[in-house]
């Protein structure tokens, strides 16, 4: 059974930075992509970013591109999300996600972490 445990984040002022981490466990994650989705109050969950197992391929939502950076450490089965130039609109619960091979922007998948609140104040 896939388990995804997030850490990091919490509260920051607009313009600041935060980093989220997620460690996967429960199976061999060779050739698994990992990423992040988020959900703001009153909105549906949305794709944020994904990184391939090799780390050579990434994809970002247009709203976070050039501000967020996703990376991974396969030896630790861990994925990171560095969030810079945070805006109040980035306030959301951030979920770690994982799937074999790749994750597309529909984020229609089975493996989700419990979520981590990120609040950006003005």
């Amino acid at each position: 059974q896939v388990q995804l445990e997030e850490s990091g984040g919490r509260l920051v002022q607009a313009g600041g930075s935060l980093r989220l981490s997620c460690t996967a466990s429960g199976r061999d994650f060779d050739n698994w992509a990992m990423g992040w989705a988020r959900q703001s109050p009153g909105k549906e969950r949305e794709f944020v970013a994904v990184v391939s197992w090799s780390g050579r391929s990434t994809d970002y939502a247009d709203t976070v591109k050039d501000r967020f950076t996703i990376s991974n450490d396969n030896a630790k089965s861990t994925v990171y999300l560095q969030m810079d130039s945070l805006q109040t609109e980035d306030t959301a619960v951030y979920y770690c996600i994982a799937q074999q091979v790749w994750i597309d922007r529909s984020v229609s998948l089975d493996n989700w972490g419990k979520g981590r609140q990120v609040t950006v104040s003005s």
Side-chain angles (χ1 to χ4, degrees), residues 23-70:
T23 299
S25 62
R27 61 160 293 147
D28 183 350
F29 288 94
D30 283 359
N31 206 34
W32 277 58
M34 293 184 69
W36 298 89
R38 68 185 183 185
Q39 186 169 23
S40 303
K43 296 185 178 180
E44 293 185 353
R45 289 182 180 180
E46 62 176 358
F47 168 82
V48 174
V50 59
V51 60
S52 65
W53 179 83
S54 69
R56 289 194 289 267
S57 297
T58 58
D59 189 27
Y60 295 91
D62 293 342
T63 51
V64 307
K65 197 172 183 179
D66 298 327
R67 299 188 298 120
F68 291 10
T69 303
I70 191 169

Side-chain angles (χ1 to χ4, degrees), residues 19-21 36 69-73 76 78-82:
R19 188 172 90 151
L20 296 173
S21 301
W36 298 89
T69 303
I70 191 169
S71 61
N72 61 351
D73 182 340
K76 299 179 180 179
T78 298
V79 63
Y80 306 96
L81 186 68
Q82 177 66 38

